[in-house]
């Protein structure tokens, strides 16, 4: 009885982990870094005081857990930390995204959109809502499982009393996706 049980367990584990080729469905995890840039209003071309024309305005760190339905469509739940340096704003958005691959060759061109809530994590965080829209490209590793994603995201955050304050930004992102 023990050898047959061992053989069944071995067969199931080999068939589960021996997946060749491209994986099109399943759960994935993504880690992302993004940054927004702004122009420096104090910059003067003739003066060399260490100021630059372009400065970092915000930094975003994102973790995503998602599900890919097929080669084209996926959804994800995102938890992110956003910090804007000049405005001294902190945000903790939790939001859902939908991604659709428009072109599907060796690399994929995709569009994505997301909507969610800005959570109040204390005195230094803003409460409100946000939405996001983006475009990017996905490049794969040698076995077409893990990938890097690069692109641009536009986000709009509404917060404050009755959500009357708004903050819009365009971010450059880089993401690593484990499939």
């Amino acid at each position: 009885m023990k050898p047959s049980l061992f053989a069944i367990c071995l067969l199931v584990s080999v068939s589960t982990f021996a997946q060749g080729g491209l994986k099109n469905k399943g759960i994935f995890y993504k880690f992302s870094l993004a940054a927004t840039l702004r122009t420096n209003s104090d910059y003067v071309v003739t003066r060399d005081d260490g100021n630059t024309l372009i400065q970092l305005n915000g930094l975003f760190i994102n973790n995503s857990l998602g599900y890919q339905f097929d080669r084209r469509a996926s959804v994800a739940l995102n938890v992110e930390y956003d910090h804007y340096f000049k405005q001294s704003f902190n945000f903790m958005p939790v939001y859902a995204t939908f991604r659709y691959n428009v072109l599907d060759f060796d690399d994929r061109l995709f569009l994505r959109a997301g909507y969610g809530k800005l959570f109040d994590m204390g005195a230094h965080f803003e409460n409100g809502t946000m939405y996001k829209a983006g475009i990017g490209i996905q490049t794969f590793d040698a076995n077409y499982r893990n990938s890097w994603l690069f692109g641009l995201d536009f986000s709009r955050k509404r917060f404050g009393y009755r959500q009357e304050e708004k903050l819009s930004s365009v971010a450059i992102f880089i993401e690593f996706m484990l499939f």
Side-chain angles (χ1 to χ4, degrees):
M1 186 66 160
K2 287 183 182 178
S4 62
L5 182 61
F6 176 74
I8 290 172
C9 289
L10 183 64
L11 181 63
V12 168
S13 65
V14 167
S15 66
T16 302
F17 292 109
Q19 298 180 14
L22 182 63
K23 185 174 178 183
N24 291 321
K25 289 184 179 183
I27 296 174
F28 64 85
Y29 169 77
K30 240 181 354 183
F31 177 76
S32 171
L33 288 174
T36 64
L37 304 174
R38 68 178 184 92
T39 57
N40 184 359
S41 59
D42 298 329
Y43 180 74
V44 178
V45 177
T46 58
R47 206 171 47 194
D48 188 18
D49 57 0
N51 283 333
T52 59
L53 177 63
I54 305 294
Q55 289 182 331
L56 182 66
N57 186 41
L59 190 61
F60 311 150
I61 301 169
N62 185 343
N63 285 292
S64 303
L65 186 61
Y67 185 80
Q68 185 160 333
F69 297 107
D70 55 18
R71 292 177 61 95
R72 297 256 184 206
S74 65
V75 294
L77 180 64
N78 303 274
V79 177
E80 187 171 287
Y81 170 70
D82 300 350
H83 178 73
Y84 289 87
F85 296 107
K86 184 176 180 182
Q87 298 91 343
S88 295
F89 286 141
N90 292 304
F91 298 101
M92 184 65 71
V94 175
Y95 59 98
T97 56
F98 175 76
R99 188 182 83 201
Y100 184 77
N101 297 325
V102 179
L103 298 176
D104 188 7
F105 299 112
D106 287 341
D107 296 330
R108 296 176 177 168
L109 177 69
F110 63 87
L111 299 173
R112 67 182 179 188
Y115 182 78
K117 178 149 178 53
L118 304 172
F119 281 96
D120 186 3
M121 303 295 289
H124 300 289
F125 285 84
E126 301 293 334
N127 190 17
T129 59
M130 72 159 277
Y131 66 86
K132 200 176 244 197
I135 186 168
I137 190 164
Q138 180 180 18
T139 61
F140 291 91
D141 61 2
N143 62 4
Y144 280 88
R145 289 184 59 90
N146 301 325
S147 60
W148 289 94
L149 293 86
F150 307 95
L152 296 172
D153 273 335
F154 169 80
S155 68
R156 176 80 175 232
K157 297 171 176 77
R158 296 182 65 139
F159 56 97
Y161 181 70
R162 294 188 181 177
Q163 295 188 15
E164 292 178 359
E165 295 183 51
K166 301 172 189 114
L167 182 63
S168 299
S169 62
V170 175
I172 302 166
F173 67 83
I174 181 169
E175 301 176 344
F176 183 67
M177 182 172 156
L178 295 169
F179 206 171

